[in-house]
Amino acid sequence: MGRKVAIIGAGISGLSAAAFAAKAGNEVHVYEKNSTPGGRARQFRTENGYTFDMGPSWYWMPDVMERFFEDFGYHANDFYELIPLDPQFEMIGKDGNLSIPASYEKLREIFDDVEPGAGKRLDKFMRSARFKYEVGMGQFVHKPCHSWREFMTPGIVSSAMRLSLLSNFRSYVKKYFRHPSLRALMEFPVIFLGASPQQIPALYSLMNYGGYILGTHYPMGGFYRLIDAMRQIGEELGVHFHFDQPIEKIVASGSKISAIRVKGQNVPVDAVIASSDYHHTESLLDPMERNYTDAYWRSRTFAPSCLIYYLGFTEKIPRLRHHTLFFEYDLDDHIDAIYKRKRWPENPLFYACCTSKTDDGVAPEGHENVFLLMPLAIGIDDEECIREKYLHSMIQRLEKHTGAVNLLSRLDYKRSYCVRDFVTDYNAYAGNAYGLANTLSQTAVLKPGIRNRQLSNLFYAGQLTVPGPGVPPSIISGKIAAGELAKLKKEVYETAV
């Protein structure tokens, strides 16, 4: 057996890092504070027959997941059935509703119906978005980002102007579309990046291609099927999983880690990849061993937290899609509540996911499984009475859209999840749900580094480092961290006594 590597956290980036590190011949041990793998992508089952994915629900950029499986000699369909959704989702807007089809030709027709001539402009937008996707996902996101010199390749330099690196996403969208509904539709995907479209580089139009063109999918059995598959690959490669075992201390000797402390015992290791919350990971080190100060973290722009409700209804809800965006109110007002006013929004936008529309196995027969999510400022008060107030508001809008009556009286399961829960379960800084926002000042080399500057055998993975938040970037992040581990000289791994 090779070098002994500890992975902190069994979230998506940790599972990815574990698989790649084990494939390279290391003895890999994954330590997870919770009782199951997945991190924010965990799943739970209720006693009365519901199955809820706790976090990610948009299966976008399927090529990234497929590439992960191919790296280990598999395909996604070896583990689960992937269903393309049609319509992909519905957006409820103040100027009308838009149902987004799987067919690009039908999408183009919708654009022309809303705004004459917008179909041709959509073609131009998507050609550019495809180029950004192929360059961005093919070259940009796989860099460890130690230096800007990594991006000084002939291919990237020659593509720089076409990548729209210095323009913001909102201004970029306005060049193509005038109608508010179309602008909102094109801005929606970058909300996953955790900031206002005015702060997100136009490069990220690649997400429009990755979502609307590559399609929205659903793995039968739930998003957790991806987690099961990643864990299975790790176990086949010899990865050891240790659940309910939070790390208490990262122990260093000189310029490298010698052990991790688990349940009061020091466990010797040759290297560590920390996929846990970056700020929390650094709290396990002595102050002089940390990359960043608390002042640094306070200065960062974090993606939002969120209020989530997991709901089970005793009857089917008409007219509700698998994915529905409730965007009847102003996006900027909600964003200002998150980043400027740092308080609960007055007229919030929210998202509803009803997996039982596609998958009969996630709810009892004739029942409905619904997940509601509303973005929030980090670090705010989230008492149960406040959560309940917003649940009632979201349910009223759900009833208005679907024509359903008295939905609250038809609830037979309810669980809320909010800021404090993200802190408790994931040690998430200020209760953030999605990591750091992908603003221009927090992109690539400007993100927290993937290597510790004082300890040569400590690496970081996950949504607070490169390449950023989201499921596909987290998979890639784990691979990058394992690649950095492989670069170390052999003598680094001699265990300190």
Side-chain angles (χ1 to χ4, degrees), residues 11 33 46 56 89 102 110 146 176 196 203 206 216 220 238-240 278 294 340 359 362 425 437 455 471 473 488:
K33 74 183 292 289
T46 71
F89 62 91
I110 289 173
H146 301 309
Y176 289 88
S196 164
L203 165 68
L206 63 86
T216 304
M220 293 297 286
V239 174
H240 305 270
Y278 201 125
D294 284 342
K340 293 182 180 179
D359 190 347
V362 298
D425 286 354
L455 303 172
V471 172
L488 288 182

Side-chain angles (χ1 to χ4, degrees), residues 80-237:
Y80 47 81
E81 181 184 7
L82 198 60
I83 303 295
L85 298 181
D86 191 9
Q88 298 189 51
F89 62 91
E90 185 171 16
M91 185 176 74
I92 313 304
K94 57 185 176 183
D95 298 312
N97 304 340
L98 292 176
S99 185
I100 307 308
S103 163
Y104 178 72
E105 285 306 313
K106 291 181 180 179
L107 179 64
R108 196 177 182 279
E109 290 173 7
I110 289 173
F111 271 66
D112 272 331
D113 287 343
V114 174
E115 181 182 309
K120 286 186 177 180
R121 293 193 294 278
L122 179 65
D123 290 340
K124 185 178 179 181
F125 183 99
M126 285 302 181
R127 282 196 297 270
S128 178
R130 177 177 180 174
F131 175 80
K132 293 182 179 74
Y133 189 88
E134 291 173 347
V135 174
M137 299 304 293
Q139 299 182 51
F140 264 62
V141 299
H142 294 277
K143 305 290 186 184
C145 295
H146 301 309
S147 165
W148 290 113
R149 289 192 297 272
E150 295 170 30
F151 299 90
M152 297 296 106
T153 65
I156 293 178
V157 171
S158 65
S159 304
M161 292 300 294
R162 295 178 63 188
L163 292 174
S164 308
L165 293 170
L166 299 179
S167 56
N168 74 72
F169 193 79
R170 171 155 293 171
S171 298
Y172 183 77
V173 168
K174 283 184 176 180
K175 292 179 182 178
Y176 289 88
F177 309 107
R178 295 187 301 274
H179 196 283
S181 293
L182 297 187
R183 288 179 176 175
L185 180 64
M186 301 310 281
E187 287 183 352
F188 153 66
V190 302
I191 292 175
F192 289 117
L193 302 175
S196 164
Q198 295 168 300
Q199 296 179 290
I200 299 292
L203 165 68
Y204 288 103
S205 64
L206 63 86
M207 292 192 65
N208 297 92
Y209 178 81
Y212 300 162
I213 304 302
L214 297 185
T216 304
H217 300 78
Y218 173 77
M220 293 297 286
F223 211 98
Y224 195 74
R225 295 299 297 275
L226 172 64
I227 303 304
D228 270 341
M230 296 179 75
R231 177 183 179 176
Q232 182 178 329
I233 287 172
E235 288 176 336
E236 289 178 358
L237 291 166

Side-chain angles (χ1 to χ4, degrees), residues 31 39 41 44 118 124 167 182 276 401 412 433 454 461:
Y31 293 86
F44 71 92
K124 185 178 179 181
S167 56
L182 297 187
S276 46
H401 169 60
D412 67 340
Q454 286 74 42

Side-chain angles (χ1 to χ4, degrees), residues 368-384:
E368 209 81 284
N369 175 317
V370 177
F371 166 107
L372 301 180
L373 183 151
M374 187 180 80
L376 284 176
I378 61 173
I380 63 173
D381 181 30
D382 65 343
E383 295 299 322
E384 197 62 42

Side-chain angles (χ1 to χ4, degrees), residues 424-438:
T424 299
D425 286 354
Y426 311 122
N427 296 308
Y429 184 87
N432 80 85
Y434 307 107
L436 284 180
N438 262 0

